[in-house]
Amino acid sequence: MFSDVLRYPTSALNFTRFTGYFAPIGGSPLRRTTFKVLGLGFVLIGLVGVVLPLLPTTIFFILAAACFARSSPELEARILRHPHIGPPVKAWRDHGVIPPKAKMFALSGMVIGYIVFFLTSQPPLWLALAVAVVIGACALYVATRPSYPRSES
């Protein structure tokens, strides 16, 4: 069960592939409300990311769609049908794909963000290295995701 999550890391954010890990739509009203509030929060952060160049956008809409999958199929469908947001969310959900242009923006944002952090805060060496390791691990994860869906043939 959990070996699938290790083998397919995108499954942690994919509520359709490994449905055995998550409660079905429904559940208690508190659970649905919690997922809906989280989803709305992720949408708000994603909208801020549309305006701020260093804040990622797509990941927050992926998280919002995952939350709405457990609370509000209508809101999930709105995200998936959106002409600009829907395709990357579907590509991630269905195939774990990050398109090349999105990878370029994500990796560039990480580099710029680290440079800004380093130059403006002048951190001690241990903190600079710790942040570099975390950002490097995130960059490695993004860079190693497929750019296109695998052909099924």
Side-chain angles (χ1 to χ4, degrees), residues 14-147:
N14 184 338
F15 282 82
T16 59
R17 187 180 303 157
F18 296 102
T19 55
Y21 300 145
F22 306 104
I25 295 173
S28 74
L30 178 62
R31 183 180 190 92
R32 287 192 313 270
T33 302
T34 302
F35 275 118
K36 190 178 280 190
V37 168
L38 283 171
L40 292 172
F42 288 134
V43 167
L44 288 174
I45 296 170
L47 292 174
V48 171
V50 170
V51 179
L52 295 178
L54 291 180
L55 183 66
T57 301
T58 306
I59 185 63
F60 293 109
F61 287 108
I62 290 170
L63 291 169
C67 288
F68 292 147
R70 295 292 155 248
S71 62
S72 175
E74 301 82 20
L75 292 174
E76 177 193 24
R78 285 185 70 178
I79 289 176
L80 297 176
R81 282 193 313 258
H82 191 277
H84 298 293
I85 298 165
V89 171
K90 286 180 196 171
W92 176 260
R93 178 179 277 186
D94 296 342
H95 306 285
V97 167
I98 302 174
K101 186 176 176 182
K103 281 185 189 184
M104 181 191 68
F105 280 116
L107 296 173
S108 300
M110 289 181 208
V111 169
I112 292 168
Y114 182 78
I115 290 170
V116 168
F117 157 75
F118 188 81
L119 295 177
T120 60
S121 67
Q122 299 176 346
L125 180 61
W126 69 269
L127 182 59
L129 291 175
V131 171
V133 166
V134 170
I135 290 177
C138 294
L140 182 64
Y141 182 78
V142 168
T144 58
R145 297 305 94 203
S147 296

